[in-house]
């Protein structure tokens, strides 16, 4: 399985500009032979834009998701993207996965909201999301979620072998990429793709350091602090019994 992961600057609060950039990224990922492109948290309309979260949030099945589905289909590349979802009076920090035909594979609402801004803008989600991706059981988490071992362990217990994580990790929290994400992957025996921003948005500087890390805790590919489109070939076991016999089972106690 070939996976693409985008690390780049956040948008300017202009969803149309973000969609245009995303179209070019999907086309580049498809040309590289990627099955799916993973992008950062709240790509639409922006992470550090609480002024826009409620104002621009759209429903599942609305104009954004219809456009994103069509873009994935046109490019022939699947997509995972974070966005602000409205469901009645509630707004969620959400992520959706589409396949290369534009079909929705999974939809997830962030459970572990981080800090006062997120808790003011969003309602927490309440359930996990798992789906099949080219014969591999995959799942979605968003940013802070992946730092909690019980979330990753719960997904692994439900059969997940690949966890796709849009994130908006600020500068100064590099240990999440260098220590926590590799630890979560090794503990649960999963591969984790962690897509962050770089640059700054409304006074918030992002740390970059996006990566895809395997169940041996070793990065398959990683970014620095600048814009990057990462491409990696994954060798993801289909089931726990196919994992390396040398891998420790940290979930057995």
């Amino acid at each position: 399985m070939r996976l693409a992961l985008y690390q780049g600057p956040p948008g300017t609060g202009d969803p149309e500009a973000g969609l245009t950039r995303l179209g070019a990224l999907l086309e580049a990922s498809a040309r590289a032979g990627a099955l799916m492109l993973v992008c950062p948290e709240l790509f639409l309309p922006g992470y550090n834009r609480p002024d826009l979260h409620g104002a621009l949030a759209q429903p599942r099945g609305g104009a954004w998701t219809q456009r994103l589905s069509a873009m994935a289909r046109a490019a022939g590349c699947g997509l995972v993207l974070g966005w602000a979802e409205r469901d009645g009076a509630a707004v969620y920090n959400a992520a959706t996965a589409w396949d290369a035909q534009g079909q929705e594979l999974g939809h997830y609402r962030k459970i572990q909201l981080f800090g006062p801004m997120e808790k003011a803008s969003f309602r927490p989600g309440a359930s996990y999301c798992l789906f099949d991706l080219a014969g591999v059981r995959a799942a979605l988490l968003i940013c802070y979620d992946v730092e909690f071992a019980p979330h990753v362990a719960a997904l692994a217990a439900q059969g997940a072998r690949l966890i796709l994580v849009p994130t908006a990790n600020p500068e100064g929290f590099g240990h999440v990429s260098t220590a926590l994400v590799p630890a979560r992957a090794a503990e649960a025996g999963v591969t984790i793709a962690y897509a962050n921003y770089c640059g700054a948005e409304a006074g918030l500087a992002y740390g970059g350091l996006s990566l895809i890390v395997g169940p041996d805790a070793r990065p398959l590919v990683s970014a620095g602090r600048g814009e990057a489109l990462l491409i990696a070939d994954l060798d993801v076991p289909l089931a726990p019994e196919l994992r390396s016999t040398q891998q420790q089972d940290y979930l057995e106690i």
Side-chain angles (χ1 to χ4, degrees):
M1 180 192 299
R2 180 166 291 177
L3 194 68
L5 187 150
Y6 176 62
Q7 173 176 291
T12 59
D14 180 355
E16 186 59 35
L19 288 163
T20 299
R21 177 163 45 130
L22 186 61
L25 290 166
L26 278 166
E27 290 175 4
S29 300
R31 287 195 299 270
L35 178 70
M36 179 168 280
L37 167 67
V38 184
C39 291
E41 179 180 8
L42 288 171
F43 195 89
L44 301 174
Y47 176 79
N48 197 38
R49 294 301 304 268
D51 56 318
L52 301 180
H53 293 157
L56 296 186
Q58 293 196 8
R60 187 177 178 187
W64 281 352
T65 54
Q66 291 180 39
R67 177 87 171 271
L68 293 165
S69 169
M71 291 169 65
R73 182 170 60 252
C77 180
L79 173 67
V80 170
L81 187 89
W83 59 288
E85 176 201 0
R86 178 170 292 283
D87 186 357
V91 178
Y92 294 93
N93 183 337
T96 304
W98 293 270
D99 67 14
Q101 290 73 50
Q103 296 297 310
E104 183 181 298
L105 296 175
H107 181 74
Y108 174 72
R109 295 166 170 173
K110 187 175 185 179
I111 293 173
Q112 210 76 46
L113 297 177
F114 177 82
M117 183 275 284
E118 286 192 30
K119 292 174 182 177
S121 286
F122 305 110
R123 185 175 297 181
S127 59
Y128 297 124
C129 166
L130 293 95
F131 54 92
D132 289 326
L133 180 63
V136 173
R137 197 68 171 153
L140 300 173
L141 290 175
I142 299 175
C143 196
Y144 200 34
D145 292 325
V146 79
E147 299 181 35
F148 291 79
H151 292 316
V152 180
L155 291 171
Q158 294 178 52
R161 296 290 157 255
L162 173 63
I163 301 179
L164 308 171
V165 187
T167 190
N169 195 34
E171 196 172 70
F173 292 84
H175 65 280
V176 177
S177 292
T178 59
L180 292 183
V181 171
R184 297 294 86 84
E187 289 164 351
V190 299
T191 297
I192 298 176
Y194 185 79
N196 195 20
Y197 290 112
C198 60
E201 177 188 33
L204 179 65
Y206 294 104
L209 303 181
S210 301
L211 78 164
I212 301 173
V213 61
D216 59 359
R218 297 177 182 175
L220 300 172
V221 65
S222 60
R225 304 286 182 177
E227 188 172 15
L229 181 63
L230 305 177
I231 307 290
D233 289 317
L234 312 185
D235 183 13
V236 182
L238 301 182
E241 59 268 21
L242 299 180
R243 288 159 55 187
S244 168
T245 56
Q246 297 181 2
Q247 183 178 334
Q248 298 296 320
D249 194 341
Y250 293 105
L251 302 183
E252 285 291 333
I253 57 174

